[in-house]
Amino acid sequence: MENRLKNKKANNPDVWTAIQHLHKAIAAGGVDPKLLALVHVRASQINGCSACVHAGVTAGKKAGETDERLHGVAAWRETPFYTDAERAALALAEGATRLQDGAEGVTDAAWDEVNAHFTEEQIGALNLEIALTNFFNRINRTIKEPAGQTWG
């Protein structure tokens, strides 16, 4: 795959500043970086964004996540590797990512489960991580960003 966008640095530097601020806000939300990486990987898998799956796995490993859990996240419902809180976050990621074609989105049951395990600040951070992941998934799929490449 060859990237369609030849000069990514030509983009407005204010965009990169804004993205850095979003990353800081997510980090300040009090969610374990390993869980943020799992959420990122799961949303990216759904969207078929190889660059973001690669980035999420790299971030997860850097945060101390195991290979078993990183590989298992594609089938998290059928594995014993995740806590109830992690399952709630992964269900939130899936619901918020699958909004197309009449998909159900985030159900009341999924929202209630997230609220049972996380504070409002943490839920805000999870929602922002999911939204930012979907943002990057769409950009990377559009420009055909190959896995293993970096932005900036």
Side-chain angles (χ1 to χ4, degrees), residues 104-131:
E104 194 171 21
V106 178
T107 64
D108 289 340
W111 187 255
D112 291 344
E113 191 65 22
V114 167
N115 272 288
H117 296 284
F118 298 98
T119 66
E120 283 198 12
E121 184 177 47
Q122 291 171 319
I123 294 169
L126 284 167
N127 278 322
L128 190 52
E129 176 66 27
I130 295 162

PDB file of all heavy atoms in Angstrom, residues 104-131:
ATOM      1  N   GLU A 104     -27.159  -0.284  15.948  1.00  0.00           N
ATOM      2  CA  GLU A 104     -27.804   0.136  17.191  1.00  0.00           C
ATOM      3  C   GLU A 104     -27.036   1.217  17.937  1.00  0.00           C
ATOM      4  O   GLU A 104     -27.615   2.002  18.687  1.00  0.00           O
ATOM      5  CB  GLU A 104     -27.989  -1.098  18.076  1.00  0.00           C
ATOM      6  CG  GLU A 104     -28.907  -0.895  19.223  1.00  0.00           C
ATOM      7  CD  GLU A 104     -29.221  -2.198  19.934  1.00  0.00           C
ATOM      8  OE1 GLU A 104     -28.458  -3.167  19.810  1.00  0.00           O
ATOM      9  OE2 GLU A 104     -30.244  -2.217  20.628  1.00  0.00           O
ATOM     10  N   GLY A 105     -25.723   1.269  17.776  1.00  0.00           N
ATOM     11  CA  GLY A 105     -24.917   2.246  18.512  1.00  0.00           C
ATOM     12  C   GLY A 105     -24.754   1.834  19.959  1.00  0.00           C
ATOM     13  O   GLY A 105     -24.779   0.654  20.293  1.00  0.00           O
ATOM     14  N   VAL A 106     -24.606   2.805  20.831  1.00  0.00           N
ATOM     15  CA  VAL A 106     -24.421   2.541  22.256  1.00  0.00           C
ATOM     16  C   VAL A 106     -25.801   2.383  22.890  1.00  0.00           C
ATOM     17  O   VAL A 106     -26.561   3.339  22.994  1.00  0.00           O
ATOM     18  CB  VAL A 106     -23.626   3.673  22.938  1.00  0.00           C
ATOM     19  CG1 VAL A 106     -23.487   3.396  24.431  1.00  0.00           C
ATOM     20  CG2 VAL A 106     -22.252   3.821  22.290  1.00  0.00           C
ATOM     21  N   THR A 107     -26.097   1.182  23.321  1.00  0.00           N
ATOM     22  CA  THR A 107     -27.395   0.903  23.933  1.00  0.00           C
ATOM     23  C   THR A 107     -27.432   1.439  25.367  1.00  0.00           C
ATOM     24  O   THR A 107     -26.382   1.716  25.967  1.00  0.00           O
ATOM     25  CB  THR A 107     -27.665  -0.605  23.969  1.00  0.00           C
ATOM     26  OG1 THR A 107     -26.686  -1.214  24.826  1.00  0.00           O
ATOM     27  CG2 THR A 107     -27.623  -1.215  22.569  1.00  0.00           C
ATOM     28  N   ASP A 108     -28.625   1.541  25.920  1.00  0.00           N
ATOM     29  CA  ASP A 108     -28.760   1.949  27.324  1.00  0.00           C
ATOM     30  C   ASP A 108     -28.072   0.941  28.238  1.00  0.00           C
ATOM     31  O   ASP A 108     -27.437   1.325  29.223  1.00  0.00           O
ATOM     32  CB  ASP A 108     -30.238   2.085  27.707  1.00  0.00           C
ATOM     33  CG  ASP A 108     -30.906   3.285  27.066  1.00  0.00           C
ATOM     34  OD1 ASP A 108     -30.187   4.230  26.644  1.00  0.00           O
ATOM     35  OD2 ASP A 108     -32.144   3.286  26.980  1.00  0.00           O
ATOM     36  N   ALA A 109     -28.171  -0.331  27.906  1.00  0.00           N
ATOM     37  CA  ALA A 109     -27.520  -1.362  28.724  1.00  0.00           C
ATOM     38  C   ALA A 109     -26.003  -1.195  28.702  1.00  0.00           C
ATOM     39  O   ALA A 109     -25.341  -1.308  29.746  1.00  0.00           O
ATOM     40  CB  ALA A 109     -27.916  -2.755  28.234  1.00  0.00           C
ATOM     41  N   ALA A 110     -25.443  -0.926  27.520  1.00  0.00           N
ATOM     42  CA  ALA A 110     -23.995  -0.721  27.426  1.00  0.00           C
ATOM     43  C   ALA A 110     -23.583   0.520  28.211  1.00  0.00           C
ATOM     44  O   ALA A 110     -22.564   0.512  28.912  1.00  0.00           O
ATOM     45  CB  ALA A 110     -23.570  -0.600  25.964  1.00  0.00           C
ATOM     46  N   TRP A 111     -24.374   1.575  28.100  1.00  0.00           N
ATOM     47  CA  TRP A 111     -24.066   2.809  28.830  1.00  0.00           C
ATOM     48  C   TRP A 111     -24.140   2.589  30.334  1.00  0.00           C
ATOM     49  O   TRP A 111     -23.288   3.056  31.088  1.00  0.00           O
ATOM     50  CB  TRP A 111     -25.011   3.929  28.390  1.00  0.00           C
ATOM     51  CG  TRP A 111     -24.633   5.246  28.977  1.00  0.00           C
ATOM     52  CD1 TRP A 111     -25.260   5.913  29.997  1.00  0.00           C
ATOM     53  CD2 TRP A 111     -23.529   6.075  28.593  1.00  0.00           C
ATOM     54  NE1 TRP A 111     -24.608   7.087  30.269  1.00  0.00           N
ATOM     55  CE2 TRP A 111     -23.542   7.210  29.415  1.00  0.00           C
ATOM     56  CE3 TRP A 111     -22.527   5.943  27.626  1.00  0.00           C
ATOM     57  CZ2 TRP A 111     -22.598   8.221  29.309  1.00  0.00           C
ATOM     58  CZ3 TRP A 111     -21.586   6.952  27.525  1.00  0.00           C
ATOM     59  CH2 TRP A 111     -21.634   8.073  28.359  1.00  0.00           C
ATOM     60  N   ASP A 112     -25.161   1.864  30.792  1.00  0.00           N
ATOM     61  CA  ASP A 112     -25.293   1.573  32.218  1.00  0.00           C
ATOM     62  C   ASP A 112     -24.099   0.768  32.722  1.00  0.00           C
ATOM     63  O   ASP A 112     -23.606   1.001  33.832  1.00  0.00           O
ATOM     64  CB  ASP A 112     -26.589   0.805  32.493  1.00  0.00           C
ATOM     65  CG  ASP A 112     -27.840   1.655  32.287  1.00  0.00           C
ATOM     66  OD1 ASP A 112     -27.728   2.907  32.225  1.00  0.00           O
ATOM     67  OD2 ASP A 112     -28.930   1.051  32.164  1.00  0.00           O
ATOM     68  N   GLU A 113     -23.629  -0.176  31.917  1.00  0.00           N
ATOM     69  CA  GLU A 113     -22.480  -0.994  32.312  1.00  0.00           C
ATOM     70  C   GLU A 113     -21.215  -0.142  32.429  1.00  0.00           C
ATOM     71  O   GLU A 113     -20.430  -0.309  33.371  1.00  0.00           O
ATOM     72  CB  GLU A 113     -22.286  -2.144  31.309  1.00  0.00           C
ATOM     73  CG  GLU A 113     -21.306  -3.191  31.748  1.00  0.00           C
ATOM     74  CD  GLU A 113     -21.738  -3.972  32.985  1.00  0.00           C
ATOM     75  OE1 GLU A 113     -22.939  -4.040  33.302  1.00  0.00           O
ATOM     76  OE2 GLU A 113     -20.836  -4.548  33.636  1.00  0.00           O
ATOM     77  N   VAL A 114     -21.013   0.769  31.503  1.00  0.00           N
ATOM     78  CA  VAL A 114     -19.856   1.673  31.570  1.00  0.00           C
ATOM     79  C   VAL A 114     -19.948   2.525  32.838  1.00  0.00           C
ATOM     80  O   VAL A 114     -18.957   2.701  33.551  1.00  0.00           O
ATOM     81  CB  VAL A 114     -19.765   2.546  30.300  1.00  0.00           C
ATOM     82  CG1 VAL A 114     -18.779   3.681  30.474  1.00  0.00           C
ATOM     83  CG2 VAL A 114     -19.369   1.701  29.107  1.00  0.00           C
ATOM     84  N   ASN A 115     -21.140   3.039  33.117  1.00  0.00           N
ATOM     85  CA  ASN A 115     -21.331   3.866  34.313  1.00  0.00           C
ATOM     86  C   ASN A 115     -21.121   3.089  35.607  1.00  0.00           C
ATOM     87  O   ASN A 115     -20.793   3.684  36.631  1.00  0.00           O
ATOM     88  CB  ASN A 115     -22.729   4.493  34.300  1.00  0.00           C
ATOM     89  CG  ASN A 115     -22.738   5.806  33.568  1.00  0.00           C
ATOM     90  OD1 ASN A 115     -22.214   6.797  34.064  1.00  0.00           O
ATOM     91  ND2 ASN A 115     -23.290   5.811  32.367  1.00  0.00           N
ATOM     92  N   ALA A 116     -21.309   1.784  35.572  1.00  0.00           N
ATOM     93  CA  ALA A 116     -21.098   0.960  36.765  1.00  0.00           C
ATOM     94  C   ALA A 116     -19.614   0.788  37.085  1.00  0.00           C
ATOM     95  O   ALA A 116     -19.267   0.447  38.216  1.00  0.00           O
ATOM     96  CB  ALA A 116     -21.753  -0.417  36.567  1.00  0.00           C
ATOM     97  N   HIS A 117     -18.745   1.036  36.108  1.00  0.00           N
ATOM     98  CA  HIS A 117     -17.318   0.760  36.298  1.00  0.00           C
ATOM     99  C   HIS A 117     -16.408   1.987  36.231  1.00  0.00           C
ATOM    100  O   HIS A 117     -15.256   1.896  36.662  1.00  0.00           O
ATOM    101  CB  HIS A 117     -16.845  -0.242  35.239  1.00  0.00           C
ATOM    102  CG  HIS A 117     -17.491  -1.572  35.372  1.00  0.00           C
ATOM    103  ND1 HIS A 117     -17.146  -2.483  36.347  1.00  0.00           N
ATOM    104  CD2 HIS A 117     -18.492  -2.143  34.658  1.00  0.00           C
ATOM    105  CE1 HIS A 117     -17.894  -3.564  36.223  1.00  0.00           C
ATOM    106  NE2 HIS A 117     -18.721  -3.384  35.209  1.00  0.00           N
ATOM    107  N   PHE A 118     -16.901   3.088  35.693  1.00  0.00           N
ATOM    108  CA  PHE A 118     -16.039   4.244  35.473  1.00  0.00           C
ATOM    109  C   PHE A 118     -16.696   5.522  35.979  1.00  0.00           C
ATOM    110  O   PHE A 118     -17.918   5.636  35.995  1.00  0.00           O
ATOM    111  CB  PHE A 118     -15.735   4.402  33.965  1.00  0.00           C
ATOM    112  CG  PHE A 118     -15.002   3.235  33.374  1.00  0.00           C
ATOM    113  CD1 PHE A 118     -15.680   2.240  32.692  1.00  0.00           C
ATOM    114  CD2 PHE A 118     -13.625   3.116  33.529  1.00  0.00           C
ATOM    115  CE1 PHE A 118     -15.014   1.151  32.145  1.00  0.00           C
ATOM    116  CE2 PHE A 118     -12.941   2.030  32.993  1.00  0.00           C
ATOM    117  CZ  PHE A 118     -13.643   1.054  32.305  1.00  0.00           C
ATOM    118  N   THR A 119     -15.847   6.473  36.349  1.00  0.00           N
ATOM    119  CA  THR A 119     -16.339   7.800  36.730  1.00  0.00           C
ATOM    120  C   THR A 119     -16.716   8.570  35.463  1.00  0.00           C
ATOM    121  O   THR A 119     -16.340   8.180  34.348  1.00  0.00           O
ATOM    122  CB  THR A 119     -15.246   8.593  37.468  1.00  0.00           C
ATOM    123  OG1 THR A 119     -14.165   8.862  36.548  1.00  0.00           O
ATOM    124  CG2 THR A 119     -14.714   7.839  38.687  1.00  0.00           C
ATOM    125  N   GLU A 120     -17.408   9.674  35.636  1.00  0.00           N
ATOM    126  CA  GLU A 120     -17.756  10.503  34.481  1.00  0.00           C
ATOM    127  C   GLU A 120     -16.505  11.014  33.771  1.00  0.00           C
ATOM    128  O   GLU A 120     -16.480  11.099  32.540  1.00  0.00           O
ATOM    129  CB  GLU A 120     -18.668  11.662  34.891  1.00  0.00           C
ATOM    130  CG  GLU A 120     -20.087  11.226  35.114  1.00  0.00           C
ATOM    131  CD  GLU A 120     -21.077  12.367  35.092  1.00  0.00           C
ATOM    132  OE1 GLU A 120     -20.718  13.494  34.677  1.00  0.00           O
ATOM    133  OE2 GLU A 120     -22.222  12.119  35.473  1.00  0.00           O
ATOM    134  N   GLU A 121     -15.476  11.358  34.533  1.00  0.00           N
ATOM    135  CA  GLU A 121     -14.223  11.817  33.925  1.00  0.00           C
ATOM    136  C   GLU A 121     -13.594  10.703  33.077  1.00  0.00           C
ATOM    137  O   GLU A 121     -13.118  10.951  31.967  1.00  0.00           O
ATOM    138  CB  GLU A 121     -13.248  12.279  35.009  1.00  0.00           C
ATOM    139  CG  GLU A 121     -11.971  12.863  34.462  1.00  0.00           C
ATOM    140  CD  GLU A 121     -11.062  13.385  35.571  1.00  0.00           C
ATOM    141  OE1 GLU A 121     -10.862  12.664  36.571  1.00  0.00           O
ATOM    142  OE2 GLU A 121     -10.569  14.512  35.426  1.00  0.00           O
ATOM    143  N   GLN A 122     -13.610   9.494  33.593  1.00  0.00           N
ATOM    144  CA  GLN A 122     -13.061   8.361  32.840  1.00  0.00           C
ATOM    145  C   GLN A 122     -13.905   8.061  31.605  1.00  0.00           C
ATOM    146  O   GLN A 122     -13.356   7.771  30.539  1.00  0.00           O
ATOM    147  CB  GLN A 122     -12.974   7.122  33.734  1.00  0.00           C
ATOM    148  CG  GLN A 122     -11.924   7.238  34.815  1.00  0.00           C
ATOM    149  CD  GLN A 122     -12.002   6.096  35.806  1.00  0.00           C
ATOM    150  OE1 GLN A 122     -13.093   5.674  36.210  1.00  0.00           O
ATOM    151  NE2 GLN A 122     -10.842   5.602  36.212  1.00  0.00           N
ATOM    152  N   ILE A 123     -15.212   8.146  31.728  1.00  0.00           N
ATOM    153  CA  ILE A 123     -16.084   7.914  30.577  1.00  0.00           C
ATOM    154  C   ILE A 123     -15.829   8.975  29.516  1.00  0.00           C
ATOM    155  O   ILE A 123     -15.787   8.669  28.317  1.00  0.00           O
ATOM    156  CB  ILE A 123     -17.569   7.879  30.998  1.00  0.00           C
ATOM    157  CG1 ILE A 123     -17.827   6.658  31.889  1.00  0.00           C
ATOM    158  CG2 ILE A 123     -18.486   7.859  29.768  1.00  0.00           C
ATOM    159  CD1 ILE A 123     -19.182   6.670  32.570  1.00  0.00           C
ATOM    160  N   GLY A 124     -15.620  10.210  29.952  1.00  0.00           N
ATOM    161  CA  GLY A 124     -15.281  11.273  29.007  1.00  0.00           C
ATOM    162  C   GLY A 124     -13.992  10.958  28.258  1.00  0.00           C
ATOM    163  O   GLY A 124     -13.902  11.153  27.046  1.00  0.00           O
ATOM    164  N   ALA A 125     -13.001  10.455  28.984  1.00  0.00           N
ATOM    165  CA  ALA A 125     -11.724  10.095  28.355  1.00  0.00           C
ATOM    166  C   ALA A 125     -11.906   8.923  27.393  1.00  0.00           C
ATOM    167  O   ALA A 125     -11.346   8.929  26.288  1.00  0.00           O
ATOM    168  CB  ALA A 125     -10.683   9.755  29.421  1.00  0.00           C
ATOM    169  N   LEU A 126     -12.683   7.930  27.790  1.00  0.00           N
ATOM    170  CA  LEU A 126     -12.945   6.800  26.896  1.00  0.00           C
ATOM    171  C   LEU A 126     -13.666   7.255  25.634  1.00  0.00           C
ATOM    172  O   LEU A 126     -13.296   6.865  24.527  1.00  0.00           O
ATOM    173  CB  LEU A 126     -13.781   5.733  27.614  1.00  0.00           C
ATOM    174  CG  LEU A 126     -13.040   4.871  28.627  1.00  0.00           C
ATOM    175  CD1 LEU A 126     -14.029   4.091  29.488  1.00  0.00           C
ATOM    176  CD2 LEU A 126     -12.071   3.921  27.930  1.00  0.00           C
ATOM    177  N   ASN A 127     -14.683   8.080  25.803  1.00  0.00           N
ATOM    178  CA  ASN A 127     -15.420   8.581  24.635  1.00  0.00           C
ATOM    179  C   ASN A 127     -14.519   9.384  23.711  1.00  0.00           C
ATOM    180  O   ASN A 127     -14.603   9.262  22.490  1.00  0.00           O
ATOM    181  CB  ASN A 127     -16.616   9.438  25.075  1.00  0.00           C
ATOM    182  CG  ASN A 127     -17.805   8.600  25.435  1.00  0.00           C
ATOM    183  OD1 ASN A 127     -18.085   7.590  24.806  1.00  0.00           O
ATOM    184  ND2 ASN A 127     -18.532   9.028  26.451  1.00  0.00           N
ATOM    185  N   LEU A 128     -13.659  10.203  24.281  1.00  0.00           N
ATOM    186  CA  LEU A 128     -12.744  10.998  23.473  1.00  0.00           C
ATOM    187  C   LEU A 128     -11.733  10.101  22.753  1.00  0.00           C
ATOM    188  O   LEU A 128     -11.426  10.325  21.580  1.00  0.00           O
ATOM    189  CB  LEU A 128     -12.037  12.040  24.343  1.00  0.00           C
ATOM    190  CG  LEU A 128     -11.233  13.107  23.630  1.00  0.00           C
ATOM    191  CD1 LEU A 128     -12.043  13.815  22.547  1.00  0.00           C
ATOM    192  CD2 LEU A 128     -10.715  14.121  24.654  1.00  0.00           C
ATOM    193  N   GLU A 129     -11.236   9.075  23.437  1.00  0.00           N
ATOM    194  CA  GLU A 129     -10.321   8.116  22.795  1.00  0.00           C
ATOM    195  C   GLU A 129     -11.009   7.421  21.624  1.00  0.00           C
ATOM    196  O   GLU A 129     -10.418   7.274  20.546  1.00  0.00           O
ATOM    197  CB  GLU A 129      -9.823   7.078  23.807  1.00  0.00           C
ATOM    198  CG  GLU A 129      -8.948   5.999  23.213  1.00  0.00           C
ATOM    199  CD  GLU A 129      -7.620   6.494  22.680  1.00  0.00           C
ATOM    200  OE1 GLU A 129      -7.102   7.519  23.170  1.00  0.00           O
ATOM    201  OE2 GLU A 129      -7.072   5.844  21.765  1.00  0.00           O
ATOM    202  N   ILE A 130     -12.231   6.999  21.820  1.00  0.00           N
ATOM    203  CA  ILE A 130     -12.976   6.323  20.755  1.00  0.00           C
ATOM    204  C   ILE A 130     -13.192   7.274  19.577  1.00  0.00           C
ATOM    205  O   ILE A 130     -12.976   6.908  18.421  1.00  0.00           O
ATOM    206  CB  ILE A 130     -14.315   5.782  21.297  1.00  0.00           C
ATOM    207  CG1 ILE A 130     -14.064   4.685  22.338  1.00  0.00           C
ATOM    208  CG2 ILE A 130     -15.200   5.276  20.150  1.00  0.00           C
ATOM    209  CD1 ILE A 130     -15.252   4.393  23.234  1.00  0.00           C
ATOM    210  N   ALA A 131     -13.603   8.496  19.864  1.00  0.00           N
ATOM    211  CA  ALA A 131     -13.840   9.479  18.794  1.00  0.00           C
ATOM    212  C   ALA A 131     -12.558   9.810  18.047  1.00  0.00           C
ATOM    213  O   ALA A 131     -12.546   9.868  16.808  1.00  0.00           O
ATOM    214  CB  ALA A 131     -14.463  10.752  19.380  1.00  0.00           C
TER     215      ALA A 131
END
